Coordinates of all heavy atoms in Angstrom, one line a residue:
S65 N -1.0 -5.1 8.4 CA -0.2 -5.9 9.2 C 1.0 -6.4 8.3 O 1.0 -6.2 7.1 CB -1.0 -7.1 9.7 OG -1.4 -7.9 8.6
G66 N 2.0 -7.0 9.0 CA 3.1 -7.5 8.2 C 4.4 -6.7 8.3 O 5.4 -7.1 7.8
G67 N 4.3 -5.5 8.9 CA 5.5 -4.7 9.0 C 6.5 -5.3 10.0 O 6.2 -6.3 10.7
G68 N 7.7 -4.8 10.0 CA 8.7 -5.3 10.9 C 10.1 -4.7 10.5 O 10.2 -3.7 9.8
S69 N 11.1 -5.3 11.1 CA 12.5 -4.9 10.8 C 13.2 -5.9 10.1 O 13.2 -7.1 10.4 CB 13.2 -4.6 12.2 OG 12.6 -3.6 12.9
V70 N 13.9 -5.5 9.0 CA 14.7 -6.4 8.2 C 16.0 -5.7 7.8 O 16.1 -4.5 7.9 CB 13.9 -6.9 6.9 CG1 12.7 -7.6 7.2 CG2 13.6 -5.7 6.0
Q71 N 16.9 -6.5 7.3 CA 18.2 -6.0 6.8 C 18.0 -5.7 5.3 O 17.1 -6.2 4.6 CB 19.3 -6.9 7.1 CG 19.6 -7.1 8.5 CD 20.9 -7.9 8.8 OE1 21.2 -8.9 8.0 NE2 21.6 -7.6 9.8
T72 N 18.9 -4.9 4.8 CA 19.0 -4.5 3.4 C 19.0 -5.8 2.6 O 19.7 -6.8 2.9 CB 20.2 -3.7 3.1 OG1 20.2 -2.5 3.8 CG2 20.3 -3.4 1.6
G73 N 18.1 -5.8 1.5 CA 18.0 -7.0 0.7 C 16.9 -8.0 1.1 O 16.6 -8.9 0.4
G74 N 16.3 -7.7 2.3 CA 15.3 -8.6 2.8 C 14.0 -8.4 2.2 O 13.8 -7.5 1.3
S75 N 13.0 -9.2 2.6 CA 11.6 -9.1 2.1 C 10.6 -9.0 3.2 O 10.8 -9.6 4.3 CB 11.3 -10.3 1.2 OG 12.2 -10.4 0.1
L76 N 9.5 -8.4 2.9 CA 8.3 -8.4 3.8 C 7.1 -8.4 2.9 O 7.1 -7.9 1.8 CB 8.3 -7.1 4.7 CG 9.3 -7.0 5.8 CD1 9.2 -5.6 6.4 CD2 9.0 -8.0 6.9
R77 N 6.0 -8.9 3.5 CA 4.7 -8.9 2.8 C 3.7 -8.2 3.7 O 3.4 -8.7 4.8 CB 4.3 -10.3 2.5 CG 3.0 -10.4 1.7 CD 2.4 -11.8 1.7 NE 1.4 -12.0 0.6 CZ 0.5 -12.9 0.7 NH1 0.4 -13.8 1.7 NH2 -0.3 -13.1 -0.4
L78 N 3.2 -7.1 3.3 CA 2.2 -6.4 4.0 C 0.8 -6.8 3.6 O 0.6 -7.1 2.4 CB 2.4 -4.9 3.8 CG 3.7 -4.2 4.1 CD1 3.6 -2.7 3.9 CD2 4.2 -4.6 5.4
S79 N -0.1 -6.8 4.5 CA -1.5 -7.2 4.2 C -2.4 -6.0 4.7 O -2.1 -5.3 5.7 CB -1.9 -8.4 5.0 OG -1.1 -9.6 4.6
C80 N -3.5 -5.9 4.0 CA -4.5 -4.9 4.3 C -5.8 -5.5 4.3 O -6.3 -5.8 3.2 CB -4.4 -3.7 3.4 SG -5.7 -2.5 3.6
A81 N -6.3 -5.8 5.5 CA -7.6 -6.5 5.6 C -8.7 -5.5 5.8 O -8.6 -4.6 6.6 CB -7.6 -7.5 6.7
A82 N -9.8 -5.7 5.1 CA -11.0 -4.8 5.2 C -12.1 -5.4 5.9 O -12.4 -6.6 5.7 CB -11.4 -4.3 3.8
S83 N -12.8 -4.6 6.7 CA -14.0 -5.0 7.3 C -15.1 -4.0 6.9 O -14.8 -2.9 6.6 CB -13.9 -5.1 8.8 OG -13.6 -3.8 9.4
G84 N -16.3 -4.5 6.9 CA -17.4 -3.6 6.5 C -17.7 -3.9 5.0 O -17.5 -5.1 4.6
P85 N -18.0 -3.0 4.2 CA -18.3 -3.2 2.8 C -17.1 -3.8 2.1 O -16.0 -3.6 2.4 CB -18.6 -1.8 2.2 CG -19.1 -1.0 3.4 CD -18.3 -1.6 4.6
T86 N -17.4 -4.7 1.1 CA -16.3 -5.3 0.3 C -15.5 -4.3 -0.4 O -15.9 -3.2 -0.8 CB -16.9 -6.3 -0.7 OG1 -15.9 -6.8 -1.4 CG2 -17.9 -5.5 -1.6
L87 N -14.2 -4.6 -0.5 CA -13.2 -3.8 -1.2 C -13.3 -4.0 -2.7 O -12.7 -3.3 -3.5 CB -11.8 -4.1 -0.8 CG -11.4 -3.7 0.7 CD1 -10.0 -4.1 0.9 CD2 -11.6 -2.2 0.9
N88 N -14.1 -5.0 -3.1 CA -14.0 -5.5 -4.5 C -14.3 -4.4 -5.5 O -14.0 -4.5 -6.7 CB -14.9 -6.7 -4.7 CG -14.4 -7.9 -3.9 OD1 -13.2 -7.9 -3.5 ND2 -15.2 -8.9 -3.7
S89 N -15.1 -3.4 -5.2 CA -15.4 -2.4 -6.1 C -14.5 -1.2 -6.1 O -14.7 -0.2 -6.8 CB -16.9 -1.9 -5.9 OG -17.0 -1.4 -4.6
Y90 N -13.5 -1.2 -5.2 CA -12.6 -0.1 -5.0 C -11.2 -0.4 -5.6 O -10.7 -1.4 -5.5 CB -12.4 0.2 -3.5 CG -13.6 0.7 -2.8 CD1 -14.4 -0.2 -2.1 CD2 -13.9 2.0 -2.7 CE1 -15.5 0.2 -1.4 CE2 -15.0 2.5 -1.9 CZ -15.8 1.6 -1.3 OH -16.9 2.0 -0.6
R91 N -10.7 0.7 -6.2 CA -9.2 0.7 -6.4 C -8.6 0.9 -5.1 O -9.1 1.6 -4.2 CB -8.8 1.8 -7.4 CG -7.3 2.0 -7.6 CD -7.0 3.2 -8.4 NE -7.4 3.0 -9.8 CZ -7.6 4.0 -10.7 NH1 -7.3 5.3 -10.3 NH2 -7.9 3.8 -11.9
M92 N -7.5 0.2 -4.8 CA -6.8 0.2 -3.5 C -5.3 0.7 -3.8 O -4.7 0.4 -4.8 CB -6.8 -1.2 -2.9 CG -8.1 -1.7 -2.5 SD -8.9 -0.7 -1.3 CE -7.8 -0.9 0.1
G93 N -4.8 1.4 -2.7 CA -3.5 1.9 -2.9 C -2.7 1.7 -1.6 O -3.2 1.5 -0.5
W94 N -1.4 1.8 -1.8 CA -0.4 1.8 -0.6 C 0.4 3.1 -0.7 O 0.8 3.5 -1.8 CB 0.5 0.6 -0.7 CG 0.0 -0.7 -0.3 CD1 -0.5 -1.7 -1.2 CD2 -0.2 -1.3 1.0 NE1 -1.0 -2.8 -0.4 CE2 -0.7 -2.5 0.9 CE3 0.2 -0.8 2.3 CZ2 -1.0 -3.4 2.0 CZ3 -0.1 -1.6 3.4 CH2 -0.7 -2.9 3.2
F95 N 0.5 3.7 0.4 CA 1.3 4.9 0.6 C 2.3 4.7 1.7 O 2.1 3.7 2.5 CB 0.4 6.1 0.9 CG -0.3 6.6 -0.3 CD1 -1.4 5.9 -0.8 CD2 0.0 7.8 -0.9 CE1 -2.1 6.4 -1.9 CE2 -0.7 8.3 -2.0 CZ -1.8 7.6 -2.5
R96 N 3.3 5.5 1.8 CA 4.3 5.4 2.9 C 4.7 6.8 3.4 O 4.7 7.7 2.6 CB 5.5 4.6 2.5 CG 6.4 5.2 1.5 CD 7.5 4.2 1.1 NE 8.4 4.7 0.1 CZ 9.3 4.0 -0.5 NH1 9.5 2.8 -0.2 NH2 10.1 4.6 -1.4
Q97 N 5.1 6.9 4.6 CA 5.5 8.2 5.2 C 6.7 7.9 6.1 O 6.6 7.2 7.1 CB 4.4 8.8 6.0 CG 4.7 10.2 6.4 CD 3.5 11.0 6.9 OE1 2.4 10.4 7.2 NE2 3.6 12.3 7.0
A98 N 7.8 8.5 5.6 CA 9.1 8.4 6.4 C 9.1 9.6 7.4 O 8.4 10.7 7.1 CB 10.3 8.5 5.5
P99 N 9.8 9.5 8.5 CA 9.9 10.6 9.4 C 10.3 12.0 8.7 O 11.3 12.0 8.0 CB 11.0 10.2 10.4 CG 10.9 8.7 10.3 CD 10.6 8.4 8.9
G100 N 9.6 13.0 9.0 CA 9.9 14.3 8.5 C 9.5 14.5 7.0 O 9.9 15.5 6.4
K101 N 8.9 13.5 6.4 CA 8.6 13.6 5.0 C 7.1 13.5 4.7 O 6.3 13.1 5.6 CB 9.3 12.5 4.2 CG 10.8 12.6 4.2 CD 11.4 11.6 3.2 CE 12.9 11.8 3.1 NZ 13.6 10.9 2.2
E102 N 6.7 13.9 3.5 CA 5.3 13.8 3.2 C 4.9 12.4 2.9 O 5.8 11.5 2.5 CB 5.0 14.7 1.9 CG 5.2 16.1 2.1 CD 4.1 16.7 2.9 OE1 2.9 16.3 2.7 OE2 4.4 17.6 3.8
R103 N 3.6 12.0 3.0 CA 3.1 10.7 2.7 C 3.2 10.6 1.2 O 2.7 11.5 0.5 CB 1.7 10.5 3.2 CG 1.3 9.1 3.1 CD -0.1 8.9 3.9 NE 0.0 9.2 5.3 CZ -0.9 9.0 6.2 NH1 -2.1 8.4 5.8 NH2 -0.8 9.3 7.4
E104 N 3.8 9.5 0.7 CA 4.0 9.4 -0.8 C 3.3 8.1 -1.3 O 3.2 7.1 -0.6 CB 5.5 9.4 -1.1 CG 6.2 8.2 -0.6 CD 7.7 8.3 -1.0 OE1 8.1 9.2 -1.7 OE2 8.4 7.3 -0.7
F105 N 3.0 8.2 -2.6 CA 2.4 7.0 -3.3 C 3.4 5.9 -3.4 O 4.6 6.2 -3.8 CB 1.8 7.5 -4.6 CG 1.4 6.3 -5.5 CD1 0.2 5.7 -5.3 CD2 2.2 6.0 -6.6 CE1 -0.1 4.6 -6.1 CE2 1.9 4.9 -7.4 CZ 0.7 4.2 -7.2
V106 N 3.0 4.7 -3.2 CA 3.8 3.5 -3.5 C 3.3 2.7 -4.6 O 4.0 2.4 -5.5 CB 4.0 2.7 -2.2 CG1 4.8 1.4 -2.5 CG2 4.6 3.5 -1.1
S107 N 2.0 2.3 -4.5 CA 1.5 1.4 -5.4 C -0.1 1.4 -5.4 O -0.6 1.8 -4.4 CB 1.9 -0.1 -5.2 OG 1.5 -1.0 -6.1
A108 N -0.7 1.0 -6.5 CA -2.2 0.9 -6.5 C -2.6 -0.2 -7.4 O -1.8 -0.7 -8.3 CB -2.8 2.2 -7.0
I109 N -3.8 -0.7 -7.2 CA -4.3 -1.8 -8.0 C -5.8 -1.5 -8.3 O -6.5 -1.0 -7.4 CB -4.1 -3.2 -7.2 CG1 -4.5 -4.3 -8.1 CG2 -4.9 -3.2 -5.9 CD1 -4.1 -5.7 -7.5
S110 N -6.2 -1.9 -9.5 CA -7.6 -1.6 -9.9 C -8.5 -2.6 -9.2 O -8.1 -3.6 -8.6 CB -7.7 -1.8 -11.4 OG -7.4 -3.2 -11.7
W111 N -9.8 -2.3 -9.3 CA -10.8 -3.1 -8.5 C -10.7 -4.6 -9.0 O -11.0 -5.5 -8.2 CB -12.2 -2.5 -8.7 CG -12.7 -2.6 -10.1 CD1 -12.6 -1.7 -11.1 CD2 -13.5 -3.7 -10.7 NE1 -13.2 -2.1 -12.2 CE2 -13.8 -3.4 -12.0 CE3 -13.9 -4.9 -10.2 CZ2 -14.5 -4.2 -12.8 CZ3 -14.6 -5.8 -11.0 CH2 -14.9 -5.4 -12.3
S112 N -10.4 -4.8 -10.3 CA -10.4 -6.1 -10.8 C -9.0 -6.8 -10.6 O -8.9 -8.0 -10.7 CB -10.7 -6.1 -12.3 OG -9.6 -5.5 -13.0
G113 N -8.0 -6.0 -10.2 CA -6.7 -6.6 -10.1 C -6.0 -6.6 -11.4 O -4.8 -7.0 -11.5
G114 N -6.6 -6.2 -12.5 CA -6.0 -6.3 -13.8 C -5.0 -5.2 -14.1 O -4.2 -5.3 -15.1
S115 N -5.1 -4.1 -13.4 CA -4.1 -3.0 -13.6 C -3.4 -2.7 -12.3 O -4.1 -2.6 -11.2 CB -4.9 -1.8 -14.1 OG -5.5 -2.0 -15.3
T116 N -2.1 -2.5 -12.4 CA -1.3 -2.2 -11.2 C -0.4 -1.0 -11.6 O -0.1 -0.8 -12.7 CB -0.5 -3.4 -10.7 OG1 0.4 -3.8 -11.8 CG2 -1.3 -4.5 -10.3
Y117 N -0.1 -0.2 -10.5 CA 0.7 1.0 -10.7 C 1.7 1.1 -9.6 O 1.5 0.7 -8.5 CB -0.2 2.2 -10.6 CG -1.5 2.1 -11.4 CD1 -2.6 1.5 -10.9 CD2 -1.5 2.6 -12.8 CE1 -3.8 1.4 -11.7 CE2 -2.7 2.4 -13.5 CZ -3.8 1.9 -13.0 OH -4.9 1.7 -13.7
Y118 N 2.9 1.6 -9.9 CA 4.0 1.6 -9.0 C 4.7 3.0 -9.1 O 4.9 3.5 -10.2 CB 5.0 0.5 -9.2 CG 4.4 -0.9 -9.0 CD1 3.9 -1.6 -10.1 CD2 4.3 -1.5 -7.8 CE1 3.3 -2.8 -10.0 CE2 3.8 -2.7 -7.6 CZ 3.3 -3.4 -8.7 OH 2.7 -4.6 -8.6
A119 N 5.2 3.4 -7.9 CA 6.1 4.5 -8.0 C 7.5 4.1 -8.5 O 7.8 2.9 -8.4 CB 6.3 5.1 -6.5
D120 N 8.2 5.0 -9.2 CA 9.5 4.6 -9.8 C 10.4 4.0 -8.8 O 11.2 3.1 -9.1 CB 10.1 5.8 -10.4 CG 9.4 6.2 -11.7 OD1 8.6 5.4 -12.3 OD2 9.6 7.4 -12.2
A121 N 10.4 4.5 -7.5 CA 11.3 4.1 -6.5 C 11.1 2.6 -6.1 O 12.1 2.0 -5.6 CB 11.2 4.9 -5.3
V122 N 10.0 2.0 -6.4 CA 9.7 0.6 -6.0 C 9.5 -0.3 -7.1 O 9.4 -1.5 -6.9 CB 8.5 0.6 -5.0 CG1 8.7 1.5 -3.8 CG2 7.2 0.8 -5.7
K123 N 9.4 0.2 -8.3 CA 9.1 -0.6 -9.5 C 10.2 -1.7 -9.7 O 11.4 -1.4 -9.6 CB 9.1 0.3 -10.7 CG 8.3 -0.2 -11.9 CD 8.1 0.8 -13.0 CE 7.3 2.0 -12.5 NZ 7.1 3.0 -13.6
G124 N 9.7 -2.9 -9.9 CA 10.6 -4.0 -10.0 C 10.9 -4.7 -8.7 O 11.5 -5.8 -8.7
R125 N 10.6 -4.1 -7.6 CA 10.9 -4.7 -6.3 C 9.7 -5.0 -5.5 O 9.7 -6.0 -4.7 CB 11.8 -3.7 -5.5 CG 13.1 -3.4 -6.1 CD 14.0 -2.6 -5.1 NE 13.4 -1.3 -4.8 CZ 13.1 -0.9 -3.6 NH1 13.4 -1.7 -2.5 NH2 12.6 0.3 -3.3
F126 N 8.6 -4.2 -5.7 CA 7.4 -4.4 -4.9 C 6.3 -4.9 -5.9 O 6.3 -4.6 -7.1 CB 6.9 -3.1 -4.4 CG 7.7 -2.5 -3.2 CD1 9.0 -3.1 -2.9 CD2 7.2 -1.5 -2.5 CE1 9.7 -2.5 -1.9 CE2 8.0 -0.9 -1.4 CZ 9.2 -1.5 -1.1
T127 N 5.4 -5.7 -5.3 CA 4.3 -6.3 -6.1 C 3.0 -6.1 -5.3 O 2.9 -6.6 -4.2 CB 4.5 -7.7 -6.5 OG1 5.7 -7.9 -7.2 CG2 3.4 -8.2 -7.4
I128 N 2.0 -5.5 -5.9 CA 0.7 -5.4 -5.3 C -0.2 -6.4 -5.8 O -0.2 -6.8 -7.0 CB 0.1 -3.9 -5.5 CG1 -1.1 -3.7 -4.6 CG2 -0.2 -3.7 -6.9 CD1 -1.5 -2.2 -4.6
S129 N -1.1 -6.9 -5.0 CA -2.1 -7.9 -5.4 C -3.3 -7.8 -4.5 O -3.2 -7.2 -3.4 CB -1.5 -9.3 -5.4 OG -1.1 -9.7 -4.1
R130 N -4.4 -8.5 -4.9 CA -5.5 -8.5 -4.0 C -6.2 -9.9 -4.1 O -6.2 -10.6 -5.1 CB -6.5 -7.4 -4.4 CG -7.1 -7.5 -5.8 CD -7.8 -6.2 -6.2 NE -8.8 -5.8 -5.2 CZ -9.3 -4.5 -5.1 NH1 -8.9 -3.6 -6.0 NH2 -10.2 -4.2 -4.2
D131 N -6.9 -10.2 -3.0 CA -7.7 -11.4 -2.9 C -9.1 -11.0 -2.6 O -9.4 -10.6 -1.5 CB -7.1 -12.3 -1.8 CG -7.8 -13.7 -1.7 OD1 -9.0 -13.8 -2.0 OD2 -7.1 -14.6 -1.4
S132 N -10.0 -11.1 -3.6 CA -11.3 -10.6 -3.4 C -12.1 -11.5 -2.4 O -13.0 -11.0 -1.8 CB -12.1 -10.6 -4.8 OG -12.1 -11.9 -5.4
V133 N -11.8 -12.8 -2.3 CA -12.5 -13.7 -1.4 C -12.1 -13.3 0.0 O -13.0 -13.2 0.9 CB -12.1 -15.1 -1.7 CG1 -12.7 -16.0 -0.6 CG2 -12.5 -15.5 -3.1
K134 N -10.9 -13.0 0.3 CA -10.4 -12.6 1.6 C -10.6 -11.1 1.9 O -10.3 -10.7 3.0 CB -9.0 -13.0 1.8 CG -8.8 -14.5 1.8 CD -7.3 -14.9 2.1 CE -7.1 -16.4 2.1 NZ -5.7 -16.7 2.3
N135 N -11.0 -10.4 0.9 CA -11.2 -8.9 1.1 C -9.9 -8.3 1.6 O -9.9 -7.5 2.5 CB -12.3 -8.6 2.0 CG -13.1 -7.4 1.6 OD1 -13.1 -7.0 0.5 ND2 -13.8 -6.8 2.6
T136 N -8.8 -8.7 1.0 CA -7.5 -8.3 1.4 C -6.6 -7.8 0.3 O -6.7 -8.4 -0.8 CB -6.8 -9.4 2.2 OG1 -7.6 -9.8 3.3 CG2 -5.4 -9.0 2.7
V137 N -5.8 -6.8 0.5 CA -4.8 -6.4 -0.5 C -3.4 -6.6 0.1 O -3.2 -6.4 1.3 CB -5.0 -4.9 -0.8 CG1 -4.0 -4.4 -1.8 CG2 -6.4 -4.7 -1.4
Y138 N -2.5 -7.0 -0.7 CA -1.1 -7.3 -0.3 C -0.1 -6.4 -1.0 O -0.3 -5.9 -2.1 CB -0.8 -8.7 -0.6 CG -1.8 -9.7 0.0 CD1 -2.8 -10.3 -0.8 CD2 -1.6 -10.2 1.3 CE1 -3.7 -11.2 -0.3 CE2 -2.5 -11.1 1.8 CZ -3.6 -11.6 1.1 OH -4.5 -12.5 1.6
L139 N 1.0 -6.2 -0.3 CA 2.2 -5.6 -0.9 C 3.4 -6.4 -0.6 O 3.9 -6.5 0.5 CB 2.4 -4.1 -0.4 CG 3.5 -3.4 -1.1 CD1 3.1 -3.1 -2.5 CD2 3.7 -2.0 -0.3
Q140 N 3.9 -7.1 -1.6 CA 5.1 -7.9 -1.5 C 6.3 -7.0 -1.7 O 6.4 -6.4 -2.8 CB 5.1 -9.1 -2.4 CG 6.4 -10.0 -2.4 CD 6.5 -10.7 -1.1 OE1 5.6 -11.3 -0.6 NE2 7.7 -10.7 -0.5
M141 N 7.2 -6.9 -0.8 CA 8.3 -6.0 -0.9 C 9.6 -6.8 -0.8 O 9.9 -7.5 0.2 CB 8.3 -5.0 0.3 CG 7.0 -4.2 0.4 SD 7.0 -2.9 1.6 CE 7.3 -3.8 3.1

Side-chain angles (χ1 to χ4, degrees):
S65 62
S69 296
V70 296
Q71 293 188 324
T72 298
S75 297
L76 286 171
R77 188 195 195 200
L78 305 184
S79 299
C80 173
S83 60
T86 178
L87 291 178
N88 293 343
S89 60
Y90 293 93
R91 176 185 287 165
M92 296 296 296
W94 285 97
F95 285 72
R96 66 186 182 186
Q97 188 166 16
K101 295 188 176 181
E102 295 289 320
R103 193 171 298 187
E104 64 177 4
F105 170 75
V106 174
S107 183
I109 188 167
S110 63
W111 68 269
S112 67
S115 296
T116 57
Y117 313 89
Y118 297 95
D120 288 343
V122 306
K123 201 171 294 182
R125 300 188 296 122
F126 291 10
T127 303
I128 191 171
S129 61
R130 66 192 306 162
D131 185 327
S132 59
V133 174
K134 295 183 178 179
N135 217 20
T136 300
V137 178
Y138 304 97
L139 186 68
Q140 177 67 44
M141 306 187 297

